[in-house]
Amino acid sequence: MTIERSMHVLQSLLTAKAISSAIAEYLSGDLPYKLSPDDVFLTSGCTQAIEIVVSVLSQPGANILLPRPGFSLYEAQCASSGLDGRHFNLVPDREWEIDLDMVEALADDNTVAMVVINPCNPCGNVLSYQHLSKVAETAKKLGIMVIADEVYDHLTFGKNPFVPMGAFGQTVPVLTLGSLSKRWLVPGWRLGWIAATDPNGILKNTKIIKCIELCLSMSTAPATFVQGAVPEILKNTKDDFFKKTIETLRKSADLCYTKLQEIDCIECRHKPEGSMFVMVKLDISYLDDIQDDFDFCCKLVKEESVVILPGVAVGMKNWLRITFAIDSSTLDDALNRLKSFCKRHQKQTN
């Protein structure tokens, strides 16, 4: 290796260390302990973080516990890696809390982890400190780790503040997945991370950290110019930027919730308090010539040019996932179109 090449490699390593250090400092602000740069691994967005973690945990006969409804990329990556995905329910009547009894019933000696998405895509809920503490105790009892998908961290506007799963790292080992895309509104930048929020060093001792490092050494890294901007972004983004985003989401969530109450065939049980989504129940019995949620969404986009995700795509038949992360005038128009569509297809009574 030439001296020039050696200097280039050294500079790359120093840059990566500085970025990991900045992310570690950012995440440590919410934790009762400090992360080091060695606890943080850069990925090309949170998508790659999911791919890496699922690949590392895949082994013959192993299974992982996934939320239902959830983020469909986990199912796709499990299928690709040969990891058996078992689904536990999020309970609508308890503001989408995790059914921990079901988690215990699903787990066995081959269970490697459970996934917790908080704030939640697709439900729009934010789990409380008390419930996350119970999640940690359940995972400890079962002898499994927690994968905490926190890509929507701090995007909360309800009664529950954001609490990172890593706050319970002394109880159970946690791999925290995150990215710049949501909180900083830069999805195209594709910079994410995996953080070992595990002060007891269990993930290191069991070689999971080493496996993550090996997988990443064979993968593409985030764009270097984006990497270079990370320390400045994390350190110097003004609070006003975040406050404006939260206020915009709060107003949109209020508008969405209010307008949905006017539609007979749709039940919105809880006002969304986090992320950019809400799950609502579709009552097919109110409608004529609509077979299910998929049929509903297909006809809606054809007749009204409004796109809503059918619940079956996230594991909940005859539910709908609605996003409210658009400007208020467009959201208002879309919800009015949705109301008109439902009225047009409403069953006629004699």
Side-chain angles (χ1 to χ4, degrees):
M1 185 180 293
T2 65
I3 293 177
E4 183 179 356
R5 175 61 176 163
S6 298
M7 291 298 292
H8 177 73
V9 171
L10 179 59
Q11 183 62 41
S12 297
L13 291 173
L14 291 174
T15 300
K17 200 74 168 180
I19 298 163
S20 295
S21 179
I23 295 172
E25 183 177 352
Y26 165 70
L27 295 175
S28 295
D30 294 320
L31 298 173
Y33 52 88
K34 293 293 183 182
L35 298 179
S36 78
D38 293 335
D39 295 319
V40 177
F41 308 94
L42 295 181
T43 61
S44 296
C46 199
T47 294
Q48 189 189 37
I50 293 170
E51 293 172 354
I52 293 295
V53 169
V54 171
S55 296
V56 164
L57 295 177
S58 298
Q59 53 184 311
N63 67 77
I64 187 170
L65 308 184
L66 306 174
R68 180 174 55 213
F71 185 46
S72 58
L73 181 60
Y74 284 98
E75 283 84 355
Q77 189 58 40
C78 286
S80 175
S81 301
L83 184 60
D84 178 27
R86 300 180 178 180
H87 294 85
F88 57 84
N89 290 335
L90 305 182
V91 186
D93 292 333
R94 299 208 305 263
E95 298 186 354
W96 300 105
E97 285 188 342
I98 296 168
D99 185 339
L100 294 175
D101 290 334
M102 191 172 184
V103 168
E104 292 196 38
L106 288 169
D108 60 24
D109 291 342
N110 293 317
T111 303
V112 293
M114 67 178 292
V115 172
V116 176
I117 304 175
N118 183 52
C120 185
N121 173 12
C123 300
N125 65 305
V126 181
L127 297 174
S128 68
Y129 182 96
Q130 293 76 14
H131 187 66
L132 289 171
S133 178
K134 293 177 182 178
V135 171
E137 291 294 342
T138 300
K140 178 182 179 181
K141 176 182 177 181
L142 297 173
I144 61 176
M145 61 179 288
V146 176
I147 300 169
D149 186 326
E150 296 175 355
V151 72
Y152 290 96
D153 69 329
H154 293 284
L155 291 182
T156 63
F157 34 87
K159 62 182 180 299
N160 291 333
F162 168 69
V163 177
M165 192 69 218
F168 307 95
Q170 294 280 7
T171 302
V172 64
V174 179
L175 281 178
T176 298
L177 314 185
S179 80
L180 290 180
S181 64
K182 305 304 188 294
R183 193 180 187 201
W184 280 267
L185 309 179
V186 287
W189 287 25
R190 310 306 305 156
L191 189 138
W193 54 78
I194 303 168
T197 42
D198 174 34
N200 296 322
I202 295 172
L203 299 175
K204 183 177 181 180
N205 294 337
T206 54
K207 308 298 183 184
I208 288 176
I209 298 302
K210 185 64 175 178
C211 289
I212 290 173
E213 292 173 341
L214 290 172
C215 279
L216 285 170
S217 71
M218 298 182 288
S219 304
T220 57
T224 52
F225 71 89
V226 175
Q227 292 187 44
V230 168
E232 186 75 12
I233 291 170
L234 294 180
K235 184 177 181 181
N236 293 324
T237 301
K238 303 298 184 182
D239 285 343
D240 286 348
F241 172 82
F242 297 127
K243 289 178 181 178
K244 183 178 179 180
T245 301
I246 292 300
E247 187 58 26
T248 299
L249 287 172
R250 179 184 289 109
K251 289 179 178 179
S252 294
D254 289 346
L255 174 62
C256 188
Y257 180 77
T258 299
K259 300 285 282 190
L260 289 172
Q261 304 308 309
E262 302 172 1
I263 304 175
D264 291 337
C265 65
I266 291 178
E267 180 187 3
C268 184
R269 300 185 181 182
H270 310 286
K271 184 184 294 186
E273 297 188 346
S275 76
M276 304 172 179
F277 310 98
V278 62
M279 286 290 291
V280 298
K281 176 71 173 174
L282 177 65
D283 190 342
I284 297 295
S285 68
Y286 277 87
L287 302 171
D288 200 14
D289 74 351
I290 299 290
Q291 302 301 314
D292 53 25
D293 58 315
F294 186 80
D295 187 36
F296 180 95
C297 291
C298 288
K299 289 176 178 174
L300 176 65
V301 72
K302 288 179 181 178
E303 296 179 25
E304 296 287 352
S305 298
V306 173
V307 179
I308 290 177
L309 187 71
V312 69
V314 294
M316 295 282 281
K317 185 176 176 61
N318 289 336
W319 286 71
L320 306 170
R321 189 198 74 168
I322 298 174
T323 179
F324 48 86
I326 52 177
D327 66 273
S328 57
S329 61
T330 303
L331 178 62
D332 187 59
D333 179 43
L335 292 168
N336 285 335
R337 293 184 185 206
L338 174 61
K339 182 178 179 180
S340 296
F341 174 85
C342 292
K343 279 190 173 182
R344 192 163 59 249
H345 288 272
Q346 187 171 328
K347 285 183 177 177
Q348 300 301 314
T349 57
N350 296 326

